[in-house]
Amino acid sequence: MVSPRATSALASLRPDIKDALTEFDLFLNRQKMVGLTVMPVIEVEMQAGSFPVIKKSSLLANAETARASGGSYNQIGFEFEDATFATKENGLAMPIDERKRAMFSQFGLEMMYAEIVRDVVERNQEKRIADMIFNTSTFTPTAVTNEWDDADNATPIDDVEARVQVMMDRGVFANALIINEKVFRNLRNCQQIIDRIASSGAGDATKARDITTNMLAQCFDLDKIIVAGAMTKTSADGAATFTGGPIWSGEYAAVCRVADPGDPITNPCVGRVFHWGGDGSSIDGTFETWYENMVRGDMVRYRKVTQERLMHSDCVELLSNITT
């Protein structure tokens, strides 16, 4: 006899799961992800397409602007390059076996499994973005002389300023420094940082915990310090001992220009996440559930349709040898 639940094989959207998990998310690893800060979202109307990019040589073109009485104005044009995007779907499903549901009913397996599949999808997106920025094949890193965990001898302000100047020579104004949590904590102990804060009146730096990202931004004369704290598993699946580590390596720091949310795509920046919602996707993910007879249980799925895209390589200067 066919189960009466078989008629519900079509997936149902479950925004209630997402809403119910919002408060719980404050305590989770995902809250320390910075990918969508480094690469703000651009909503697109097609799964794939192209967009124009104005060449920097056109943006900084020289031209004669003087006009004589009765004369014509000089004219200039812009050179465009076609750039493309192609979003793809990332998602994960997990079965909630009826037997397990009965055994562990007090644990709310639906919410627990929903959190697991969402975390995997979001961590993978964070990894993709981190791998694009902290990438020594795309960007030639500059090694600092004294690692930033050498509190007495490190010169992070000098190291960052040198890269800011290099970017300025390319016509790009850096506005952010990307570091991981460990590097942030090391910077708070650097004597050069402490001295700069004390001399500028930015705040009381008697304790490391008193030094905030806003204070560091003032030290480096940047708009923002982006601190990545999300962790992931580094041990192999099935390994007897679990090991974990940061998604964003402590070996690197990136001086860069990032876009602000809402900035037009024409603004130069390191990268963007293209999101296509035409298939029911939302940038914060879509939950769906359905009953699956083959596993005799409900399935919970989380998915989103995006492309993480590097936009302008001139907008990054990579530093290495950051941590001993």
Side-chain angles (χ1 to χ4, degrees):
M1 179 176 177
V2 178
S3 167
R5 299 187 67 178
T7 57
S8 59
L10 293 177
S12 300
L13 294 174
R14 293 296 302 275
D16 58 307
I17 295 179
K18 186 191 304 181
D19 293 341
L21 290 168
T22 300
E23 184 175 357
F24 186 52
D25 287 351
L26 296 174
F27 305 96
L28 296 180
N29 190 43
R30 191 170 51 259
Q31 298 307 115
K32 291 183 176 293
M33 295 180 184
V34 300
L36 297 187
T37 301
V38 176
M39 294 186 175
V41 175
I42 288 284
E43 295 286 348
V44 292
E45 297 181 356
M46 300 177 291
Q47 180 271 331
S50 61
F51 58 95
V53 177
I54 303 175
K55 291 185 177 182
K56 187 163 53 177
S57 58
S58 290
L59 288 173
L60 299 177
N62 296 312
E64 179 57 56
T65 58
R67 170 185 173 271
S69 297
S72 299
Y73 294 95
N74 285 334
Q75 299 181 23
I76 62 172
F78 288 103
E79 288 187 73
F80 290 90
E81 292 179 326
D82 283 333
T84 62
F85 67 90
T87 62
K88 63 181 295 185
E89 186 171 26
N90 284 275
L92 198 63
M94 196 170 186
I96 308 173
D97 184 90
E98 293 284 13
R99 184 167 180 269
K100 284 187 178 179
R101 188 196 293 274
M103 292 170 61
F104 305 110
S105 59
Q106 71 271 32
F107 292 106
L109 289 187
E110 186 176 57
M111 290 299 174
M112 184 185 303
Y113 283 24
E115 191 50 63
I116 291 171
V117 293
R118 175 161 71 171
D119 186 67
V120 175
V121 173
E122 296 294 343
R123 266 191 293 119
N124 282 352
Q125 182 178 54
E126 185 80 357
K127 290 176 186 176
R128 292 193 296 271
I129 295 173
D131 289 345
M132 287 182 187
I133 306 300
F134 284 2
N135 188 314
T136 57
S137 297
T138 305
F139 309 107
T140 302
T142 300
V144 304
T145 302
N146 297 307
E147 294 91 341
W148 291 357
D149 55 353
D150 183 357
D152 292 331
N153 299 306
T155 57
I157 295 174
D158 299 337
D159 298 331
V160 170
E161 181 60 26
R163 296 302 96 198
V164 169
Q165 297 280 353
V166 168
M167 290 177 65
M168 288 177 65
D169 290 341
R170 295 199 295 257
V172 177
F173 296 93
N175 65 354
L177 175 69
I178 305 171
I179 53 177
N180 79 3
E181 186 81 32
K182 179 182 283 188
V183 174
F184 168 65
R185 297 180 72 88
N186 287 335
L187 282 175
R188 297 187 307 175
N189 293 314
C190 284
Q191 193 60 49
Q192 188 183 48
I193 295 289
I194 294 171
D195 291 345
R196 173 65 64 86
I197 291 174
S199 64
S200 66
D204 179 9
T206 56
K207 299 187 296 293
R209 65 183 299 176
D210 296 327
I211 299 178
T212 65
T213 54
N214 287 337
M215 289 182 184
L216 284 180
Q218 292 182 52
C219 285
F220 293 117
D221 193 19
L222 296 170
D223 292 344
K224 63 188 76 176
I225 306 297
I226 300 173
V227 180
M231 307 291 286
T232 191
K233 184 176 77 169
T234 56
S235 53
D237 289 339
T241 303
F242 169 84
T243 58
I247 292 176
W248 295 77
S249 171
E251 174 63 17
Y252 303 104
V255 181
C256 56
R257 180 163 191 85
V258 301
D260 289 322
D263 280 356
I265 198 170
T266 52
N267 283 15
C269 65
V270 58
R272 291 298 190 103
V273 171
F274 290 82
H275 173 255
W276 180 56
D279 191 27
S281 171
S282 62
I283 189 58
D284 55 347
T286 298
F287 280 109
E288 297 159 327
T289 61
W290 70 96
Y291 189 79
E292 180 58 68
N293 281 317
M294 290 299 292
V295 299
R296 201 171 67 84
D298 288 316
M299 300 289 294
V300 59
R301 178 171 63 205
Y302 180 80
R303 63 184 181 88
K304 62 198 304 187
V305 183
T306 61
Q307 182 197 14
E308 300 75 34
R309 192 186 191 286
L310 192 67
M311 298 290 284
H312 299 282
S313 58
D314 282 353
C315 289
V316 175
E317 276 291 313
L318 191 61
L319 290 165
S320 64
N321 196 38
I322 298 299
T323 305
T324 303

